[in-house]
Amino acid sequence: MNAIYLRAFGGVEQLVDGLQPRPVAAPGEVLVEVGASGINLADTYIRRGAFPIEESLPFIPGMEGVGRILALGEGVGGLRVGERVVFAAPGSYGAYVTIPLQGAAPWISLAPAPEGLPLAELASLGMAGRTAWGLVNRFVTGGGKALVYAGAGGVGSILIQLLRRRGIEVVAMAGSPHKAQAVRALGARAVEYRRQPLEEGGFDYIFNGVGGASLARDVARLAPQGHLIWFGFAEEAGAPGLPEALQAHFMAAPSLHLFNGGLMSAAQNRAAYGELIGGLEEGWLRIQIGALYGPEQIGEAHRHLESGQSQGKLVLMRSLT
């Protein structure tokens, strides 16, 4: 079957179609036929060569998805061939992925998934969903007020719902009236930052996946002993002015945290999948799907994501079941 390969670092033209032979599940591995893959902003960083990876070119990108088990390697128990699973693993833009259950990087994970839930929503849990769950469960210890950047995005929209479920008042940044409407539908107050600056403060938690100069501004928005959580760099990898801002607000005792969902433990991954899948089944969690793409449209999907105009989760579809 065919897969999407990255043949060289650069533009979307480097994402090309190629044949992927069916792999063999080695001992301790699970072979999965991919039905759908989440498309993440980190995928665009990897494509451009701006993100550390271990794979050698050419390779199959992608980090999360949903599919069915084709084969179980020796020593794998508790799963069955034909079972639907959600996963986080390299190569989800392919037709197949092999997922090691032991000895792999902490973020590589897998969990059984119910048959009745939409593929596109399940494909969004391995990275976007786990990241949102990890942010909430590591840093939120009680009530209060939170600011969420990119509230209409794949991570932000799930994060809003998890925070609201824990009784947190949520204010979310939105880049357009349509995005503002989407975050309001999730129970957050929206700030259209391109039309009006955020003047509100007193936040107990700020979840910033943007980076850049916004981090220094966020320090002044924190309540005393508030938490600024930096988990991405959609704007830029640097943080100009941040040391000076922390020094200027020293007496308010702000806390700065760096978060990498790739370091979540196996137990945390299991708990994340359990709550997220349970939320989909119970109806309190909604995955906002922005657009579905076929393999031949992957370049268009990356351009859309990089434009900053996308809303909700973008998903690469290979199967309808």
Side-chain angles (χ1 to χ4, degrees):
M1 296 179 71
N2 282 18
I4 297 166
Y5 285 85
L6 181 66
R7 63 184 177 186
F9 296 120
V12 297
E13 71 280 358
Q14 302 300 339
L15 295 167
V16 297
D17 184 71
L19 183 65
Q20 181 188 17
R22 173 171 166 162
V24 175
E29 289 186 344
V30 178
L31 174 62
V32 175
E33 183 175 10
V34 180
S37 168
I39 304 170
N40 294 287
L41 193 59
D43 297 346
T44 69
Y45 303 155
I46 291 170
R47 192 203 71 230
R48 299 196 305 265
F51 203 84
I53 58 169
E54 297 180 357
E55 289 86 354
S56 299
L57 292 165
F59 64 89
I60 301 171
M63 297 188 292
E64 67 177 347
V66 59
R68 292 192 182 277
I69 295 176
L70 290 180
L72 300 172
E74 181 182 352
V76 175
L79 298 167
R80 57 180 174 79
V81 172
E83 188 172 15
R84 178 187 272 189
V85 290
V86 294
F87 64 85
S92 63
Y93 287 11
Y96 311 102
V97 292
T98 53
I99 303 171
L101 298 186
Q102 294 182 347
W107 69 277
I108 296 177
S109 54
L110 174 149
E115 292 290 338
L117 297 175
L119 277 186
E121 297 190 21
L122 290 170
S124 308
L125 300 185
M127 291 301 293
R130 278 193 323 108
T131 297
W133 186 95
L135 287 165
V136 171
N137 283 273
R138 179 172 174 183
F139 299 110
V140 175
T141 57
K145 184 170 68 169
L147 174 64
V148 173
Y149 276 72
V155 174
S157 59
I158 299 173
L159 181 55
I160 288 171
Q161 294 173 81
L162 292 173
L163 290 167
R164 293 282 297 148
R165 185 167 174 80
R166 286 157 175 78
I168 303 295
E169 178 188 354
V170 182
V171 178
M173 297 287 220
S176 70
H178 196 253
K179 291 182 179 182
Q181 182 179 3
V183 301
R184 290 189 190 103
L186 298 174
R189 289 193 286 115
V191 175
E192 293 181 49
Y193 61 87
R194 291 193 172 99
R195 299 175 58 185
Q196 60 187 77
L198 175 63
E199 298 178 352
E200 185 173 348
F203 292 100
D204 300 285
Y205 312 97
I206 298 179
F207 297 93
N208 186 320
V210 173
S214 65
L215 291 161
R217 294 192 294 269
D218 282 343
V219 174
R221 295 167 174 156
L222 289 171
Q225 301 185 67
H227 300 269
L228 172 56
I229 301 106
W230 183 10
F231 68 97
F233 40 89
E235 181 177 301
E236 64 170 286
L242 180 57
E244 293 80 4
L246 289 168
Q247 184 178 24
H249 292 84
F250 177 84
M251 297 305 293
S255 295
L256 172 66
H257 310 273
L258 307 184
F259 179 79
N260 175 6
L263 299 179
M264 288 169 58
S265 68
Q268 289 171 325
N269 290 332
R270 286 193 296 271
Y273 285 128
E275 182 172 358
L276 294 166
I277 291 172
L280 291 177
E281 290 184 301
E282 295 164 14
W284 60 261
L285 178 62
R286 292 175 286 161
I287 308 296
Q288 296 186 333
I289 302 300
L292 305 178
Y293 296 90
E296 73 284 355
Q297 299 171 302
I298 191 61
E300 177 186 343
H302 273 226
R303 282 191 291 267
H304 189 196
L305 196 55
E306 290 177 300
S307 73
Q309 301 303 308
S310 65
Q311 177 179 319
K313 187 68 178 179
L314 308 187
V315 179
L316 173 66
M317 300 294 294
R318 286 191 167 272
S319 167
L320 298 179
T321 60

